[in-house]
Amino acid sequence: MAKEFVPSMVKANHGMIVTVASYAAYITVPNMTDYGASKAAALSFHEGLTAELKTRYNAPKVRTVVINQGYRSEER
């Protein structure tokens, strides 16, 4: 998706890219290693793209946001 839409956003210097990762990008648990690795990759993509948009492409108005959702266990 980024390869398709980012070039036109850069050209217009306008747009927003939302990356959905997870707290699993920072810490993972047994039996979820593959999930944690995919979320770490999503976070790395976000950080790299953010830096490139500002420094390489000079498109500061193409904004990026990463969502690292998690869950909260309720004590009963």
Side-chain angles (χ1 to χ4, degrees):
M1 295 297 282
K3 281 187 173 187
E4 183 66 30
F5 292 104
V6 169
S8 62
M9 290 181 185
V10 167
K11 187 175 179 181
N13 191 26
H14 181 76
M16 178 174 275
I17 297 147
V18 179
T19 304
V20 179
S22 166
Y23 283 133
Y26 301 100
I27 187 167
T28 190
V29 296
N31 299 322
M32 293 193 67
T33 305
D34 53 345
Y35 178 79
S38 71
K39 297 309 172 180
L43 180 60
S44 182
F45 170 78
H46 162 77
E47 291 174 349
L49 182 61
T50 300
E52 284 186 6
L53 287 168
K54 290 180 182 171
T55 61
R56 184 173 181 191
Y57 297 109
N58 193 27
K61 292 186 179 178
V62 179
R63 294 172 177 85
T64 59
V65 131
V66 65
I67 299 171
N68 287 314
Q69 75 278 6
Y71 67 93
R72 190 175 93 158
S73 175
E74 296 286 330
E75 298 234 1
R76 295 175 192 243

